[in-house]
Amino acid sequence: MLDIGGFAPEFVLADHSGRDRSLSGLLRDGPLLLYFYPADFTPGCTKEACILRDRHADMRSAALNVAGISPQDAATHARFRNAFDLPFTLLCDPDKVVIRMYDLDGPFGIGVRRGTYLVGQDRRILDVVLADFRIGRHAEFVERALRRQEEAGMRGS
């Protein structure tokens, strides 16, 4: 994973609707919880997405944005969002270019590591978690991010 305190690399990827989205654009309204996951509709990825969905209102109230990145295409992401009522952006990285930039390519280039970054509006990495199988660590990460925003006095619009 990239180091806390370093800068998150800029990128442009298509989202679930086929629209190009950049890191800078995603950061426009506040810090970003940027999570990487192996695949739509798998048990662990579905559980993680639903944790984020269930805390999404709290994250928006704390001026936090959320976006997920995996190798699936826009149509698969759209079905995944619809099936589980996911209110956040899913980004397509079929060639795993951004996944590699963020050091989350799987061993020997197979798969994707489950990692999450909290990225400040200045693109500085504020916190990270890597937990391929322990989905609960990602829920704890969300709680930490919410506390951080609360301590900073951040509120969404």
Side-chain angles (χ1 to χ4, degrees), residues 31 55 58-64 118 126 141-156:
R55 296 307 311 265
D58 295 330
M59 287 187 278
R60 288 305 308 135
S61 292
L64 282 172
L118 177 60
L126 304 173
F141 184 84
V142 169
E143 295 305 318
R144 251 191 350 256
L146 287 168
R147 278 193 306 275
R148 176 188 210 102
Q149 288 297 96
E150 184 178 304
E151 290 167 4
M154 298 298 292
R155 293 288 175 254

Side-chain angles (χ1 to χ4, degrees), residues 19-105:
R19 191 173 111 209
D20 281 348
R21 305 290 293 269
S22 67
L23 175 63
S24 297
L26 292 165
L27 289 168
R28 196 166 289 129
D29 296 326
L32 177 67
L33 196 139
L34 183 63
Y35 82 102
F36 293 78
Y37 64 102
D40 297 331
F41 295 104
T42 60
C45 295
T46 299
K47 182 176 180 180
E48 180 179 20
C50 290
I51 287 169
L52 295 170
R53 175 201 62 203
D54 294 347
R55 296 307 311 265
H56 191 258
D58 295 330
M59 287 187 278
R60 288 305 308 135
S61 292
L64 282 172
N65 298 303
V66 179
I69 297 178
S70 75
Q72 286 71 50
D73 62 22
T76 303
H77 280 342
R79 283 194 309 276
F80 187 53
R81 283 183 85 242
N82 290 337
F84 295 99
D85 295 320
L86 305 178
F88 45 83
T89 301
L90 296 179
L91 300 167
C92 310
D93 191 11
D95 297 322
K96 300 198 311 182
V97 171
V98 175
I99 289 165
R100 280 191 217 79
M101 286 169 49
Y102 281 76
D103 198 23
L104 289 166
D105 200 12

